[in-house]
Amino acid sequence: MSLIDSVNKRNIPDHIAIIMDGNGRWAKQRGTQRIFGHRNGVSAVRAAIEASAELGVKYLTLYAFSTENWNRPKIEIDALMSLLINTINTETETLIKNNIALKTIGDTQSLPKAVQKKLGEVIEKSSKCTGLTVILALSYSSRWEITNAAKRLVKDYTEKRISMEDVTEEKFSSYMTTQGIPDPDLMIRTSGEFRISNFLLWQLAYSEFYFTSTLWPDFDKEELYKAIIDYQKRERRFGKISEQL
Ligand code: IPE
Ligand code: IPE
Ligand code: MG
């Protein structure tokens, strides 16, 4: 029996963000190299995208590589970048066929040129797709994003494109790399870690959090349904009291 029957189709989160963690430990448990875990993580990515598209989720943000991940051994970074290129090569057609658009957030200019080129191609090719939008967080960290937003805002102020009165929460949000994308309703982290590791600090202000000990390569459609069912039991009060909702 699938948990999909227990998902309330009228209360699907518009935006799900996932910290896909635990690939290394998954590989270690099997006595293999870390990259083997990353490779197996790709099928979990596919499952999360498919399930999200089927349920009518509008945005799915996947934390794929953090700014801090640049501090990993070069051999692992290189392997992750190659895996990204290979995955784009094999999956682009399926994305387009399923009307799925791809976007990125983060300091993508710091990625290797070949990766930037591949990403540019798939973003362009999928730009007219109107179904699910998949947002890959690459070379992303929230403090980088907020600092970068502040810098650009100061520049616009100095060059007189905006005034002090223009600076509202909405305006500030428009300087983020997530500009135009609604805040996540649900944030999931796998692998049993209870932290957000510099992910969407601004945007997660009122998101519901779901933590699971499942390692990312084992995260399948049923695991996503489980997270959504849990989310659907929550009361999102946004500061109000129950009776006001
Ligand atoms: C998540 O898995 C993938 C990336 C951060 C790129 P990890 O590689 O962090 O796996 P663990 O946490 O070491 O198990
Ligand atoms: C967070 O996972 C980043 C990604 C999932 C891409 P990490 O494994 O890098 O996070 P920490 O170091 O355990 O906090
Ligand atoms: Mg990790």
Side-chain angles (χ1 to χ4, degrees):
M1 209 200 88
S2 168
L3 285 171
I4 194 160
D5 301 322
S6 307
V7 174
N8 175 359
K9 311 299 180 305
R10 290 180 305 279
N11 183 21
I12 300 294
D14 281 337
H15 185 173
I16 300 177
I18 309 182
I19 303 178
M20 312 183 288
D21 198 15
N23 295 350
R25 277 162 283 170
W26 188 91
K28 199 171 180 189
Q29 284 174 359
R30 284 156 184 78
T32 56
Q33 301 288 318
R34 294 179 57 85
I35 186 62
F36 184 65
H38 296 312
R39 282 198 202 108
N40 278 275
V42 176
S43 46
V45 170
R46 205 176 290 125
I49 293 177
E50 267 181 35
S52 298
E54 285 159 11
L55 288 171
V57 172
K58 298 192 177 75
Y59 300 90
L60 176 68
T61 298
L62 300 171
Y63 203 6
F65 193 83
S66 73
T67 306
E68 288 76 18
N69 290 151
W70 290 115
N71 297 319
R72 291 192 179 192
K74 184 173 184 302
I75 186 164
E76 180 165 343
I77 298 173
D78 290 348
L80 280 167
M81 295 301 148
S82 303
L83 184 61
L84 185 57
I85 294 184
N86 291 342
T87 309
I88 295 173
N89 280 339
T90 53
E91 303 297 323
T92 299
E93 212 178 303
T94 315
L95 283 184
I96 314 266
K97 209 162 42 191
N98 290 294
N99 199 22
I100 298 168
L102 191 94
K103 285 194 163 113
T104 56
I105 54 170
D107 184 16
T108 47
Q109 286 176 4
S110 65
L111 295 166
K113 285 282 171 293
V115 175
Q116 289 187 42
K117 186 163 177 281
K118 271 282 152 227
L119 284 168
E121 283 166 16
V122 55
I123 290 168
E124 162 65 25
K125 274 189 198 157
S126 70
S127 63
K128 302 224 161 46
C129 294
T130 54
L132 172 71
T133 299
V134 174
I135 301 144
L136 287 184
L138 288 167
S139 192
Y140 178 88
S141 89
S142 202
R143 286 188 173 181
W144 166 82
E145 179 180 50
I146 294 169
T147 309
N148 186 51
K151 273 188 197 162
R152 290 172 45 227
L153 190 109
V154 170
K155 190 165 192 282
D156 281 351
Y157 176 78
T158 314
E159 295 171 8
K160 301 209 165 17
R161 278 186 292 275
I162 57 163
S163 67
M164 185 98 82
E165 292 67 42
D166 292 334
V167 185
T168 58
E169 287 187 12
E170 287 69 30
K171 190 72 185 173
F172 197 70
S173 295
S174 75
Y175 283 83
M176 300 287 177
T177 57
T178 50
Q179 187 251 326
I181 300 165
D183 291 341
D185 299 293
L186 170 62
M187 195 287 292
I188 299 171
R189 182 171 190 149
T190 59
S191 90
E193 307 292 358
F194 297 97
R195 54 175 174 267
I196 59 175
S197 305
N198 218 344
F199 187 47
L200 301 175
L201 302 178
W202 170 269
Q203 297 86 344
L204 293 175
Y206 254 114
S207 309
E208 296 296 327
F209 286 11
Y210 177 87
F211 295 96
T212 171
S213 57
T214 301
L215 301 175
W216 179 250
D218 292 328
F219 194 88
D220 56 11
K221 288 186 179 188
E222 295 297 318
E223 294 280 342
L224 187 72
Y225 302 149
K226 227 187 277 178
I228 294 175
I229 292 165
D230 196 88
Y231 162 86
Q232 292 178 334
K233 291 190 192 121
R234 319 266 182 100
E235 183 177 66
R236 302 185 75 190
R237 289 187 291 278
F238 298 98
K240 296 181 179 171
I241 64 168
S242 282
E243 288 70 19
Q244 290 175 292
L245 301 176

